[in-house]
Amino acid sequence: MGFPVVRGRRLRQTAGLRRMVAETTLDPGDFIYPLFIRSGQGRKEEVASMPGVYRLSPDLAVEEAAEAHANGVPAVILFGIPDYKDDVGSSGWQEDGPVQVAVAALKRALPELVVLTDVCLCDYTDHGHCGVVERNRVLNDPTLPLLANIALSHARAGADGVAPSDMMDGRVAAIRQTLDREGFTDTLIMSYAAKYASAMYGPFREAAQSAPSFGDRRSYQMDPPNVREALREVEQDLAEGADLVMVKPALAYLDVIRQVRERFFVPVVAYNVSGEYSMVKAAARFGWLDERRVVLEVLLAMKRAGADLIITYHAMEAAKWLREGCPSKLRL
Ligand code: PBG
Ligand code: ZN
């Protein structure tokens, strides 16, 4: 049996039919909105390589988050831009650091918003590496208590969850232990479990001023050819107490997202990283791509690959587009 009895096009005739048989959906509720936080008040500086993305002072971060939340985005993740950096990243666990202040302000103004924080040293170290450096090597074990300091300071400020992005071995266990010991047994951990040493983080490093001053991150972030290794990383982070696991970047690693989804029964998060954002923005600026359609297609692909949640700089715009287009206006 086949054509002419079988006709695939029957189910594609109208927007209504297509919507009925859609196997995957995209919703503002899938998004986690990243925000870069600096100190001060009323400060808003655009990141040159990421049009539409800003370094915000805590007060303006609250405004931005409120607008995203009003458009159906349930969560934000905060990245810190400190006033000073040193060799161990001590500005990362200051009680009155930009992230700590922003977390408190966000939870006060928007108690229902889920506030997550990125936990890493690279934003706060003068050498820009994600761990303690000795003789040009990034050390694993001495880094763990410092990461735990940062995570604890975020939990104390009221964060719902912390997201370690450093790729040191044992960081989830170290953070979980410290949080539990201090009474934060319900603060969740979203681990950057399978984080690859990717060239796609370039614009982020400009935004966070966190590019390593020497060498690269290949001795701790994962090597792009490997997927079995990603599954081991996920397995290990779950054993240490991670509540959600992330695959990063997303677009070039959709196969990794799919495999993690099939093997583990926890929420899987895809990080639609800065380079992926900037590529689309740049092409759209030149008029080479229809930005709205490309963004929604790319985000949908991450869902189809198996992601439950997507960290994306497009969150605000995409949420608005989805709300405009849903559902009656979808009819062609
Ligand atoms: C910090 C961190 C990075 C990103 C998230 N957390 C940069 C890096 O590892 O160099 C990248 C995010 C992006 O590119 O959007 N460890
Ligand atoms: Zn880092």
Side-chain angles (χ1 to χ4, degrees), residues 14 24 28 32 37 62 64 66 118 122 124 126 132 135 158-161 172 179 186 199-200 206 209 251 260:
T14 64
T24 312
I32 300 173
I37 314 292
V62 170
E64 185 76 6
D118 184 85
C122 57
Y124 307 103
D126 47 18
V132 173
R135 271 178 267 118
D160 296 287
V172 172
L179 292 178
D186 289 337
M200 290 286 174
E206 185 199 314
Q209 296 151 347
L251 266 190
V260 171

Tab-separated table of all heavy atoms in Angstrom, residues 14 24 28 32 37 62 64 66 118 122 124 126 132 135 158-161 172 179 186 199-200 206 209 251 260:
chain	number	residue	atom	x	y	z
A	14	THR	N	-3.980	22.637	6.411
A	14	THR	CA	-4.364	23.898	7.052
A	14	THR	C	-3.594	24.048	8.364
A	14	THR	O	-3.087	23.067	8.924
A	14	THR	CB	-5.872	23.922	7.411
A	14	THR	OG1	-6.105	22.902	8.395
A	14	THR	CG2	-6.742	23.673	6.191
A	24	THR	N	5.658	18.371	18.633
A	24	THR	CA	6.457	19.138	19.582
A	24	THR	C	5.865	20.535	19.683
A	24	THR	O	5.388	21.068	18.681
A	24	THR	CB	7.907	19.277	19.069
A	24	THR	OG1	8.368	18.002	18.658
A	24	THR	CG2	8.831	19.829	20.146
A	28	PRO	N	6.433	29.828	26.068
A	28	PRO	CA	7.286	30.690	26.914
A	28	PRO	C	7.680	30.000	28.226
A	28	PRO	O	8.732	30.299	28.794
A	28	PRO	CB	6.394	31.910	27.191
A	28	PRO	CG	5.445	31.962	26.040
A	28	PRO	CD	5.204	30.532	25.630
A	32	ILE	N	14.339	29.836	30.002
A	32	ILE	CA	15.066	30.427	31.127
A	32	ILE	C	15.842	31.596	30.528
A	32	ILE	O	16.586	31.420	29.556
A	32	ILE	CB	16.039	29.409	31.761
A	32	ILE	CG1	15.270	28.179	32.271
A	32	ILE	CG2	16.841	30.063	32.886
A	32	ILE	CD1	16.179	27.038	32.755
A	37	ILE	N	24.499	40.796	35.247
A	37	ILE	CA	24.270	41.763	36.320
A	37	ILE	C	25.560	42.475	36.722
A	37	ILE	O	26.556	41.827	37.050
A	37	ILE	CB	23.702	41.067	37.586
A	37	ILE	CG1	22.561	40.103	37.222
A	37	ILE	CG2	23.245	42.119	38.585
A	37	ILE	CD1	21.313	40.742	36.713
A	62	VAL	N	15.445	43.781	37.543
A	62	VAL	CA	14.094	43.493	38.042
A	62	VAL	C	13.058	43.883	36.991
A	62	VAL	O	12.124	43.127	36.708
A	62	VAL	CB	13.822	44.223	39.383
A	62	VAL	CG1	12.356	44.127	39.762
A	62	VAL	CG2	14.712	43.656	40.489
A	64	GLU	N	13.498	44.098	33.721
A	64	GLU	CA	13.613	43.176	32.586
A	64	GLU	C	12.957	41.833	32.920
A	64	GLU	O	12.211	41.273	32.123
A	64	GLU	CB	15.109	42.987	32.246
A	64	GLU	CG	15.385	42.157	31.013
A	64	GLU	CD	15.141	42.905	29.695
A	64	GLU	OE1	14.868	44.124	29.722
A	64	GLU	OE2	15.209	42.239	28.647
A	66	ALA	N	10.686	41.267	35.156
A	66	ALA	CA	9.236	41.428	35.336
A	66	ALA	C	8.529	41.349	33.984
A	66	ALA	O	7.475	40.718	33.851
A	66	ALA	CB	8.935	42.758	36.025
A	118	ASP	N	24.331	31.429	37.884
A	118	ASP	CA	25.501	30.727	37.368
A	118	ASP	C	26.576	30.762	38.452
A	118	ASP	O	26.816	31.791	39.063
A	118	ASP	CB	26.004	31.431	36.110
A	118	ASP	CG	27.167	30.704	35.455
A	118	ASP	OD1	26.910	29.783	34.661
A	118	ASP	OD2	28.327	31.058	35.737
A	122	CYS	N	35.236	32.038	36.648
A	122	CYS	CA	35.830	32.822	35.552
A	122	CYS	C	35.339	34.254	35.493
A	122	CYS	O	36.070	35.135	35.048
A	122	CYS	CB	35.603	32.119	34.217
A	122	CYS	SG	33.880	31.810	33.830
A	124	TYR	N	34.987	36.056	37.968
A	124	TYR	CA	35.528	36.773	39.127
A	124	TYR	C	37.040	36.694	39.274
A	124	TYR	O	37.614	37.319	40.163
A	124	TYR	CB	34.865	36.220	40.407
A	124	TYR	CG	33.357	36.244	40.335
A	124	TYR	CD1	32.616	35.083	40.092
A	124	TYR	CD2	32.662	37.443	40.470
A	124	TYR	CE1	31.231	35.104	39.996
A	124	TYR	CE2	31.273	37.482	40.365
A	124	TYR	CZ	30.566	36.302	40.132
A	124	TYR	OH	29.192	36.346	40.033
A	126	ASP	N	41.027	37.163	37.940
A	126	ASP	CA	41.772	38.067	37.037
A	126	ASP	C	42.359	37.306	35.847
A	126	ASP	O	42.597	37.888	34.795
A	126	ASP	CB	42.847	38.856	37.812
A	126	ASP	CG	43.676	37.985	38.740
A	126	ASP	OD1	43.681	36.740	38.545
A	126	ASP	OD2	44.313	38.530	39.656
A	132	VAL	N	41.058	27.540	40.235
A	132	VAL	CA	42.293	28.085	40.796
A	132	VAL	C	43.464	27.725	39.876
A	132	VAL	O	43.560	26.587	39.409
A	132	VAL	CB	42.524	27.486	42.204
A	132	VAL	CG1	43.890	27.890	42.748
A	132	VAL	CG2	41.401	27.906	43.145
A	135	ARG	N	50.891	27.616	38.402
A	135	ARG	CA	51.850	27.360	37.320
A	135	ARG	C	51.124	27.051	36.000
A	135	ARG	O	51.387	26.036	35.350
A	135	ARG	CB	52.809	26.235	37.703
A	135	ARG	CG	54.050	26.789	38.448
A	135	ARG	CD	55.018	25.714	38.886
A	135	ARG	NE	54.747	25.282	40.247
A	135	ARG	CZ	54.388	24.055	40.601
A	135	ARG	NH1	54.240	23.112	39.702
A	135	ARG	NH2	54.166	23.762	41.867
A	158	GLY	N	18.828	34.138	48.498
A	158	GLY	CA	17.469	33.700	48.206
A	158	GLY	C	17.276	32.995	46.878
A	158	GLY	O	16.142	32.779	46.443
A	159	ALA	N	18.372	32.635	46.221
A	159	ALA	CA	18.242	31.962	44.925
A	159	ALA	C	17.483	30.637	45.078
A	159	ALA	O	17.665	29.912	46.051
A	159	ALA	CB	19.623	31.697	44.326
A	160	ASP	N	16.657	30.334	44.087
A	160	ASP	CA	15.951	29.045	44.086
A	160	ASP	C	16.902	27.915	43.721
A	160	ASP	O	16.694	26.775	44.124
A	160	ASP	CB	14.806	29.074	43.071
A	160	ASP	CG	13.745	30.087	43.446
A	160	ASP	OD1	13.001	29.816	44.396
A	160	ASP	OD2	13.679	31.155	42.806
A	161	GLY	N	17.902	28.245	42.904
A	161	GLY	CA	18.831	27.203	42.479
A	161	GLY	C	20.140	27.789	42.008
A	161	GLY	O	20.212	28.964	41.644
A	172	VAL	N	29.457	19.294	42.064
A	172	VAL	CA	28.056	19.171	42.493
A	172	VAL	C	28.006	18.648	43.931
A	172	VAL	O	27.285	19.175	44.782
A	172	VAL	CB	27.248	18.262	41.542
A	172	VAL	CG1	25.852	17.994	42.097
A	172	VAL	CG2	27.146	18.913	40.161
A	179	LEU	N	25.585	23.389	50.888
A	179	LEU	CA	24.215	23.907	50.987
A	179	LEU	C	23.453	23.165	52.076
A	179	LEU	O	22.756	23.773	52.901
A	179	LEU	CB	23.489	23.777	49.643
A	179	LEU	CG	23.987	24.665	48.493
A	179	LEU	CD1	23.201	24.372	47.218
A	179	LEU	CD2	23.877	26.147	48.845
A	186	ASP	N	16.771	22.595	50.231
A	186	ASP	CA	15.834	22.683	49.109
A	186	ASP	C	16.331	23.561	47.960
A	186	ASP	O	15.617	23.741	46.969
A	186	ASP	CB	14.471	23.194	49.589
A	186	ASP	CG	13.756	22.145	50.422
A	186	ASP	OD1	14.075	20.950	50.274
A	186	ASP	OD2	12.886	22.530	51.227
A	199	ALA	N	33.703	26.996	20.573
A	199	ALA	CA	34.018	28.343	20.098
A	199	ALA	C	32.784	29.243	20.139
A	199	ALA	O	32.865	30.428	19.820
A	199	ALA	CB	34.563	28.276	18.676
A	200	MET	N	31.652	28.672	20.543
A	200	MET	CA	30.387	29.404	20.534
A	200	MET	C	30.202	30.309	21.752
A	200	MET	O	29.152	30.934	21.890
A	200	MET	CB	29.213	28.425	20.490
A	200	MET	CG	29.079	27.699	19.180
A	200	MET	SD	28.442	28.810	17.925
A	200	MET	CE	28.585	27.744	16.509
A	206	GLU	N	32.782	38.271	25.966
A	206	GLU	CA	32.840	39.729	25.861
A	206	GLU	C	31.837	40.346	26.847
A	206	GLU	O	32.157	41.283	27.578
A	206	GLU	CB	32.518	40.174	24.431
A	206	GLU	CG	32.702	41.680	24.262
A	206	GLU	CD	31.986	42.233	23.040
A	206	GLU	OE1	32.089	41.635	21.964
A	206	GLU	OE2	31.331	43.282	23.186
A	209	GLN	N	33.173	39.723	30.257
A	209	GLN	CA	34.600	40.052	30.378
A	209	GLN	C	35.343	38.920	31.078
A	209	GLN	O	36.051	39.126	32.066
A	209	GLN	CB	34.761	41.390	31.125
A	209	GLN	CG	34.153	42.549	30.341
A	209	GLN	CD	33.650	43.698	31.200
A	209	GLN	OE1	33.518	43.588	32.406
A	209	GLN	NE2	33.330	44.809	30.561
A	251	LEU	N	22.832	23.793	19.678
A	251	LEU	CA	22.579	23.516	18.260
A	251	LEU	C	23.485	22.461	17.649
A	251	LEU	O	23.018	21.596	16.912
A	251	LEU	CB	22.703	24.804	17.445
A	251	LEU	CG	21.397	25.539	17.203
A	251	LEU	CD1	21.616	26.643	16.180
A	251	LEU	CD2	20.304	24.589	16.728
A	260	VAL	N	20.858	12.064	26.186
A	260	VAL	CA	20.656	12.312	27.623
A	260	VAL	C	19.173	12.132	27.952
A	260	VAL	O	18.817	11.500	28.949
A	260	VAL	CB	21.152	13.725	28.021
A	260	VAL	CG1	20.750	14.054	29.461
A	260	VAL	CG2	22.669	13.823	27.855
